């Protein structure tokens, strides 16, 4: 049995997410939009709840194509509020449509959202060496800067804790504990393209506690 980060439970969905996706460098814009959306959807909820709704989210939000979501009408939002497969919170649903429009603006300015986002870590993952879950921060100066800039651009549900969760999930930071078998693996160059469609992740101080 390989040693994993302390936040991983025996739930097979959690194990699969940790082993295959969390912390893997992600550079696909559509997958990044998915992750940004799911991070916001998780606010106030457990990550497992959102993880199990991911397939329904992909269907409800046009495969997380930001160009399509940006065209969602108020009528489409009302329809989504009746969809039991997603988190039926008006502010979160409306923020997704808003964020899709802001996402396209960032793409126009920077070429890709990936280039913009990874610019906050100089284009390369920050590899941490935490030995205990209690050492993993809920946010950092970098996530503070990212949050501030996203808010300035009009994004919603992008507080610093959510932004740090985004950084962890996309591999912008490697927060696997050094004792975890994935710590060395996710930093390997081959991992960068392993999971381009990975999505979402928990915040360090949210439902799973401070995790690796």
């Amino acid at each position: 049995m390989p040693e994993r980060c302390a936040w991983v439970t025996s739930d097979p969905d959690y194990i699969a997410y940790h082993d295959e996706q969390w912390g893997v460098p992600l550079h696909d814009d559509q997958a990044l939009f998915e992750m940004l959306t799911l991070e916001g959807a998780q606010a106030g909820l457990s990550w497992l709840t959102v993880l199990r709704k991911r397939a329904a989210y992909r269907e409800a939000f046009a495969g997380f194509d930001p160009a399509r979501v940006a065209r969602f009408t108020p009528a489409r939002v009302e329809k989504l509020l009746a969809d039991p497969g997603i988190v039926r919170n008006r502010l979160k649903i409306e923020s997704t449509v808003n964020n899709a429009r802001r996402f396209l603006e960032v793409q126009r300015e920077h070429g890709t959202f990936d280039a913009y986002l990874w610019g906050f870590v100089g284009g390369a993952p920050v590899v941490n060496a935490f030995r205990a879950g209690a050492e993993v921060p809920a946010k950092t100066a970098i996530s503070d800067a990212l949050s501030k800039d996203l808010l300035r651009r009009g994004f919603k549900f992008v507080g610093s804790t959510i932004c740090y969760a985004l950084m962890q999930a996309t591999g912008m930071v490697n927060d696997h504990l050094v004792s975890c078998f994935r710590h060395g693996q996710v930093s390997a160059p081959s991992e960068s393209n392993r999971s381009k469609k990975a999505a979402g992740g928990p915040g360090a101080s949210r439902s799973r506690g401070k995790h690796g």
Side-chain angles (χ1 to χ4, degrees):
M1 178 76 67
E3 186 168 351
R4 296 182 171 88
C5 295
W7 56 264
V8 183
T9 69
S10 60
D11 187 282
D13 290 331
Y14 252 1
I15 291 173
Y17 176 73
H18 170 273
D19 291 3
E20 299 171 12
Q21 299 177 17
W22 194 70
V24 176
L26 187 61
H27 296 284
D28 178 88
D29 268 19
Q30 196 158 314
L32 290 172
F33 179 62
E34 176 177 359
M35 188 160 35
L36 179 67
T37 300
L38 295 180
E39 292 293 354
Q42 191 216 338
L45 303 171
S46 73
W47 170 243
L48 191 57
T49 296
V50 175
L51 183 63
R52 289 174 172 168
K53 290 178 179 288
R54 181 165 56 179
Y57 263 92
R58 285 175 174 165
E59 182 175 352
F61 288 98
F64 288 106
D65 180 341
R68 294 177 63 186
V69 177
R71 296 194 297 269
F72 279 16
T73 63
R76 184 72 171 267
V77 170
E78 293 301 322
K79 183 178 180 180
L80 290 174
L81 283 167
D83 186 343
I86 66 173
V87 177
R88 290 179 287 183
N89 178 294
R90 180 179 294 277
L91 291 177
K92 291 179 179 180
I93 292 172
E94 290 179 341
S95 76
T96 301
V97 179
N98 168 77
N99 287 353
R101 295 166 182 165
R102 306 292 81 78
F103 194 96
L104 296 178
E105 292 171 355
V106 171
Q107 286 182 322
R108 286 192 288 269
E109 180 180 343
H110 290 270
T112 62
F113 189 82
D114 169 62
Y116 162 78
L117 187 66
W118 278 81
F120 282 86
V121 289
V126 175
V127 181
N128 290 317
F130 299 123
R131 297 187 178 278
E135 297 176 17
V136 182
K139 58 182 180 177
T140 64
I142 297 175
S143 69
D144 287 347
L146 174 58
S147 173
K148 183 178 180 180
D149 195 66
L150 288 171
L151 289 169
R152 178 184 65 81
R153 293 172 179 274
F155 284 81
K156 306 295 183 184
F157 283 93
V158 287
S160 187
T161 300
I162 289 176
C163 284
Y164 194 65
L166 186 70
M167 292 168 60
Q168 291 174 314
T170 60
M172 291 172 66
V173 293
N174 178 356
D175 273 355
H176 284 280
L177 300 184
V178 292
S179 59
C180 176
F181 81 102
R182 288 294 281 156
H183 182 271
Q185 292 179 356
V186 300
S187 295
S190 60
E191 287 289 327
S192 295
N193 295 315
R194 262 188 85 251
S195 187
K196 283 193 173 184
K197 293 299 181 182
S205 66
R206 288 185 274 168
S207 61
R208 289 190 277 180
K210 291 182 178 180
H211 55 270

